[in-house]
Amino acid sequence: MQDRPPENRSPDSRRRDWLAAIDSAADLAALGALDVALLGKTGEVTELVRGVARLPREERPAAGRAANELKVALETAVAARRAVLERSALDAALSSTGFDPSEPPLVDGPQPGVRIPLRRPRGTLHPITIVRDELVDLFTSMGFTWQDGPEIETDWFNFEALNIPADHPARDTQDTFWLDDGNLLRTHTSPVQIRSMLRFPPPLKVIVPGRCFRAETVDASHEHSFYQMEGLVVDEGVSTANLIHTMKTCLRVILERDVTVRLRPGFFPFVEPGFELDVNCPFCAGQGCSVCKHSGWIEILPCGMVHPNVLRAGGIDPERFTGFAFGMGLQRVVMLRYGIDDIRLFMGGDLRFLSQFDGVAR
Ligand code: PHE
C-alpha cells in the first residue's frame, strides 16, 4: 500500500483503516490493487500471517488466530465490495446499450407489427371456488357424492315436488325469473334433492354446490345470482343428532375454529321440523359485535328433517326412511371466513379484490 499505516498504530485501528479502504474502493481496478497489496503473495497481511512463525513459541497460537481472523475478514470484505462493483459495472454497461432486462419478453401478436407480452398475468381462484372446493373435499371425505343439476328447472322440481304448491305463500319469498316455455331459473339447489332421490336408492348422501337465481334487489347482502350448497342424507334411522353433528364438523373446518351452534325453528315447506342454524359469532366469540348485530350469534344455514311428502316425491318410503337436508349460502360462508362485508364484491370482477386470494387455497 502506498500510505502504509505507521507501525505504532494499534492492530485495531489498522484493521479499521483497511476495511474502510476496501469499502470505499471506487472501482474494480482500485479494489484489485488493494487486494494485491494486502492479501497478495507479498501483501502486508500475508506477511503478517507469515510473521507468526517467527514469534516465540508461546505467543504463536494467539497471534496465529488473530492474524487468520483478520485475513478472513479482509477477504470477505473484498468479495462483498467486488459483488457491488461488478453489479454497478453491469448496470452501467446495460444502460449504455438501452437494454432493459426487467422488460417482459415480447412475441409477435395476431396482427402484423403488434408485439404482445409473452407471459400473461396469472389468474387466481375465486374465493367462492376456494371455499366450495374445501367443502367438497370435506363432504366427500365423509362419504357424500357431488351431484349437479340444471340451472333451468321445471316448476315441479323447483317447487311442487318440494311441497310448495302453486298457491303456497313460500313462493313469494323465492320470486324467480320465468322463461317463456314455463320453466324457470332455479331459486335454490333443493330441486337436486328430488333428482338425486329419483336416481339413487337410499342410503343416500349427496352435496350439490351450484348457482341459483332470484328476482332480488341487489344490496350489500343480496344478489340475483348466488351460490348455494345443498346437502341431503337419507337412510334408516337418520335423526336431528346426525344433522347437528354434520353441520358442526363442516363449520369447524370451514371457519377454522371450534364452534357452538344453536337451532331455532325455521319454516321451509320441504322440511319438518325445519331449523335456522346459528353459530356463535367467530368475530367476537359470542360477546356481541357489529357483525353479529350484538346478538353473539350469526345465522348461517337453514336445515331440517326431510318432509315425508318430499321423500314420497323422490320415490322413497317415508315409513321406512328418514333424512336431513341443509342449504348453505356459499357467499355467506365465504364472507364470514374472510371478513368480507359486501356480497357485490364477488360479482364485480375487480382484480384488486380478487387478487387478494392469490395463494390462499389449501
Ligand atoms: N332451499 C332453501 C332456500 O334456499 C334452504 C334449505 C335447504 C332449507 C334445505 C332447508 C333445507 O331457502
Side-chain angles (χ1 to χ4, degrees), residues 185-201:
L185 297 186
R186 67 176 176 190
T187 58
H188 47 181
T189 42
S190 303
V192 191
Q193 287 190 27
I194 307 293
R195 291 181 176 276
S196 303
M197 289 190 270
L198 292 175
R199 275 181 77 183
F200 308 107

Side-chain angles (χ1 to χ4, degrees), residues 174 188 190 193 214 228 230 268 270-271 302-304 325-327:
Q174 301 204 1
H188 47 181
S190 303
Q193 287 190 27
R214 283 184 203 179
Q228 284 192 342
E230 194 83 6
F268 302 92
F270 35 94
V271 284
C303 52
F326 57 89

Side-chain angles (χ1 to χ4, degrees), residues 151-216:
E151 291 177 352
I152 296 176
E153 262 300 3
T154 62
D155 183 276
W156 190 79
F157 276 114
N158 196 83
F159 291 125
E160 288 279 343
L162 290 166
N163 205 28
I164 316 176
D167 55 356
H168 198 287
R171 287 204 177 200
D172 297 344
T173 63
Q174 301 204 1
D175 200 4
T176 188
F177 300 101
W178 293 90
L179 306 182
D180 289 342
D181 61 6
N183 290 329
L184 51 92
L185 297 186
R186 67 176 176 190
T187 58
H188 47 181
T189 42
S190 303
V192 191
Q193 287 190 27
I194 307 293
R195 291 181 176 276
S196 303
M197 289 190 270
L198 292 175
R199 275 181 77 183
F200 308 107
L204 175 67
K205 285 166 106 177
V206 296
I207 42 160
V208 187
R211 193 155 55 144
C212 311
F213 310 85
R214 283 184 203 179
E216 295 269 11

